[in-house]
Amino acid sequence: MKLPAILLALSTLPAYGQSVAQQFNDYPTAARADYVFACMASNGQTRQSLEKCACSIDEIATILPYEKYVEAETVLSMRRTGGERMAIFQSAASASALVADLRRAQAEAEVICF
């Protein structure tokens, strides 16, 4: 058996000691870091806020797939931009549902981490 075949076979095995959420965690490190930096800017630049903010994004990642997180953040960004062309992001039910899902995940993370 060649090395690539072995690696492929191993990559399909479940990771020892990891939950399903950890196995399928698709949040890139840069996205997590951006969240933590913004969270710390709002909650203080202390070691304690670093730990709470890191916990928060970890919890959000277990609740909301990364694709949905990006979509919700995009809607929020577009809502801040304003203007006539961005009105769809204010009124569309699908956009509001994305933001509501993110807000629920953030609220749950806040209860757990803060």
Side-chain angles (χ1 to χ4, degrees):
M1 192 180 244
K2 295 189 178 197
L3 184 60
I6 293 171
L7 292 176
L8 178 62
L10 289 175
S11 70
T12 61
L13 295 175
Y16 181 76
Q18 288 186 329
S19 70
V20 173
Q22 290 169 325
Q23 291 176 36
F24 296 105
N25 178 16
D26 58 351
Y27 279 54
T29 302
R32 288 176 181 268
D34 284 342
Y35 181 92
V36 171
F37 288 143
C39 177
M40 287 180 68
S42 299
N43 294 295
Q45 303 290 332
T46 65
R47 176 68 186 182
Q48 184 179 14
S49 69
L50 169 66
E51 291 172 6
K52 288 179 178 182
C53 292
C55 171
S56 182
I57 191 61
D58 289 345
E59 288 299 320
I60 290 169
T62 64
I63 297 167
L64 198 62
Y66 182 65
E67 179 181 310
K68 297 295 182 188
Y69 174 82
V70 170
E71 291 172 0
E73 286 292 328
T74 301
V75 169
L76 290 171
S77 177
M78 293 296 144
R79 285 181 175 178
R80 286 189 293 270
T81 302
E84 189 176 311
R85 291 183 179 181
M86 300 305 159
I88 188 72
F89 293 103
Q90 297 289 347
S91 61
S94 60
S96 295
L98 287 169
V99 172
D101 289 345
L102 175 59
R103 296 290 187 230
R104 276 191 290 276
Q106 288 174 325
E108 189 169 329
E110 186 169 332
V111 168
I112 292 168
C113 300
F114 287 85

